[in-house]
Amino acid sequence: MSGFFIMRRPSQRVRVGKIMLGGGAPVVVQSMTNTDTADVEATVRQVYELAQTGSELVRITVNTPEAAAAVPLIRARLDSMGCDVPLIGDFHYNGHRLLTEFPDCAQALAKYRINPGNVGRSRADDDPFAIMIAAAVRYDKPVRIGVNWGSLDQGLVVRMMDENSRQAEPGDVREVTHAALIASALQSAQRAEQLGLAHDRIVLSCKVSEVQGLIAVYRALTQQCDYALHLGLTEAGMGSKGIVASTAALAVLLQEGIGDTIRISLTPEPGGSRTQEVVVAQEILQTMGLRAFAPMVTACPGCGRTTSTVFQELAQSIQAHLRDRMPVWRERYDGVENMTVAVMGCIVNGPGESKLANIGISLPGTGESPAAPVYIDGEKAVTLRGDNIAAEFTRIVDEYVTRKYVSRK
């Protein structure tokens, strides 16, 4: 994909269903549903939509007996639709009981997510953490031990704060909290191994909701373990704020080779599609040259030479078309995800950018001749004119895919 190479941090390889995390495997994209898991139809529909968009792991909430009972039904429905995306069970507070009382749920899930800050207090006769780890061992499931800034074990925090206050030169409260996040994750992982969970069945995460904190925590965590790591801001936010914050944090860590799987925890717009978090995760990885998921569209920002909105509308429609076609193309053609398309608005950079892409079009700017030259693999192929340029260019792109990329048949 690119001429540079990012040295990945050595990490333990973990298999989650059909997906491999860590050990040099490509960084994996995951997402999470926001449906009531007990609503089988709605959850199946959203999981399928996320998987079709490109989510390679999908997490679902398992918080009630009704949700736990629905999990095997959801798995069966997805399988019948030809969707084999692994499902991760998100457990809090009562996960030990749900995994015990609903063995079909425990078996249907590909991985369990446990937050040590809220699994419940340990008791000799009923240790929630130990019960959940026992289920993971029994059903041979990996576990993500996910520590969150907002639900950190308060007992651990208090102890570490007390120890810090007794120091001759106490550290910053935020730094102590960061250390507590890491300690919680590592201590829980060590205990899980003592309870019989294999080292290569553990994934760790230490999530916070601010950029510099996340970078600091993961840099420190990587110095203390070789577990596969899940990256993401725990509450990224909505719209551009969430996208920018996630990109700022994850790009730094990924550039340093840190991270084996990522999730972008965007707050969706009211009624908005959950798939946006998948697209953002993919675009972070693709623009960094780490993976390729769908053809990339290069488009100019526009200026006084491009007072028409035609090039903007064409760039938008082509990008949507490529995304819509990718589920089919991904199955039929090898390498199509690496294709680049340029949609340019005037003669200044238009021809040059178009020649550098696999396919490019340079639309006429203000006062320019009403013609749109199309370049294919660096050579001018045709000039489009008239009111049907968008449809004709889309047809050229489709024909290029069928001609250029090797069929998987």
Side-chain angles (χ1 to χ4, degrees):
M1 258 197 73
S2 60
F4 62 88
F5 176 74
I6 295 176
M7 180 67 71
R8 298 281 303 282
R9 159 190 172 266
S11 60
Q12 181 64 54
R13 187 171 284 241
V14 181
R15 182 174 293 279
V16 182
K18 64 175 184 174
I19 300 296
M20 190 66 72
L21 306 180
V27 179
V28 171
V29 172
Q30 65 176 275
S31 60
M32 186 175 183
T33 60
N34 62 356
T35 57
D36 178 356
T37 305
D39 186 338
V40 174
E41 293 298 324
T43 304
V44 166
R45 187 164 54 248
Q46 192 172 80
V47 170
Y48 184 79
E49 183 183 25
L50 290 166
Q52 285 293 100
T53 305
S55 183
E56 295 159 300
L57 299 172
V58 178
R59 183 156 50 112
I60 60 177
T61 299
V62 187
N63 60 335
T64 64
E66 293 77 15
V71 170
L73 303 178
I74 293 166
R75 178 72 274 164
R77 283 287 307 281
L78 289 167
D79 289 342
S80 71
M81 297 165 69
C83 179
D84 60 353
V85 64
L87 298 177
I88 303 167
D90 190 59
F91 294 100
H92 297 270
Y93 308 110
N94 60 352
H96 58 301
R97 291 195 168 86
L98 296 178
L99 287 172
T100 301
E101 295 170 10
F102 295 89
D104 288 348
C105 168
Q107 181 60 57
L109 294 168
K111 186 173 74 167
Y112 310 152
R113 190 272 190 169
I114 303 174
N115 185 336
N118 59 27
V119 298
R121 296 295 179 186
S122 298
R123 300 187 298 275
D125 60 337
D126 184 18
D127 184 338
F129 185 82
I131 292 170
M132 296 183 77
I133 296 301
V137 173
R138 182 180 311 118
Y139 298 104
D140 190 26
K141 306 295 182 180
V143 170
R144 172 161 72 94
I145 296 174
V147 183
N148 276 5
W149 176 278
S151 53
L152 187 55
D153 182 345
Q154 291 306 299
L156 176 63
V157 174
V158 169
R159 288 195 301 274
M160 294 185 69
M161 288 294 184
D162 287 344
E163 292 172 4
N164 178 62
S165 67
R166 290 193 291 269
Q167 301 296 318
E169 296 183 8
D172 179 77
V173 170
R174 186 173 293 267
E175 292 177 358
V176 176
T177 306
H178 290 172
L181 281 165
I182 296 169
S184 178
L186 293 177
Q187 289 172 16
S188 297
Q190 182 180 29
R191 184 153 183 259
E193 291 196 48
Q194 292 169 348
L195 291 166
L197 189 63
H199 188 78
D200 65 357
R201 304 303 274 163
I202 297 173
V203 179
L204 294 188
S205 67
C206 290
K207 290 188 174 183
V208 301
S209 56
E210 48 97 11
V211 171
Q212 294 297 342
L214 191 81
I215 294 170
V217 166
Y218 275 89
R219 280 175 172 168
L221 182 60
T222 59
Q223 301 300 312
Q224 301 179 50
C225 73
D226 69 344
Y227 294 112
L229 299 180
H230 170 78
L231 300 186
L233 291 172
T234 188
E235 289 102 12
M238 180 179 283
S240 60
K241 183 270 178 185
I243 294 171
V244 170
S246 294
T247 303
L250 269 59
V252 171
L253 293 170
L254 291 168
Q255 185 67 24
E256 295 178 6
I258 299 170
D260 301 293
T261 175
I262 65 173
R263 185 203 168 195
I264 309 301
S265 300
L266 293 180
T267 304
E269 301 288 343
S273 173
R274 194 71 164 179
T275 58
Q276 186 186 20
E277 68 177 58
V278 178
V279 174
V280 173
Q282 291 178 329
E283 290 182 347
I284 290 173
L285 294 174
Q286 187 153 350
T287 55
M288 292 185 68
L290 292 170
R291 292 193 64 183
F293 297 94
M296 295 291 284
V297 176
T298 300
C300 67
C303 66
R305 297 183 182 88
T306 57
T307 53
S308 168
T309 62
V310 173
F311 86 94
Q312 299 164 337
E313 293 162 358
L314 179 56
Q316 184 179 51
S317 67
I318 282 293
Q319 187 158 284
H321 178 73
L322 296 174
R323 277 275 171 195
D324 289 342
R325 295 294 296 158
M326 269 311 293
V328 174
W329 286 347
R330 192 181 297 118
E331 296 296 323
R332 291 184 182 175
Y333 304 109
D334 187 35
V336 67
E337 65 276 6
N338 293 305
M339 183 173 69
T340 57
V341 179
V343 179
M344 306 303 292
C346 78
I347 199 170
V348 173
N349 289 327
E353 289 283 358
S354 297
K355 290 176 183 178
L356 291 172
N358 293 110
I359 307 177
I361 186 170
S362 181
L363 292 162
T366 305
E368 293 178 15
S369 173
V374 175
Y375 297 83
I376 298 178
D377 290 331
E379 300 294 333
K380 184 177 177 181
V382 66
T383 298
L384 303 180
R385 293 180 173 85
D387 299 327
N388 207 30
I389 288 177
E392 291 182 31
F393 185 65
T394 301
R395 176 184 56 78
I396 290 170
V397 171
D398 288 346
E399 290 176 352
Y400 180 85
V401 170
T402 60
R403 185 176 68 253
K404 175 78 173 182
Y405 295 101
V406 178
S407 173
R408 293 183 185 273
K409 293 180 181 179

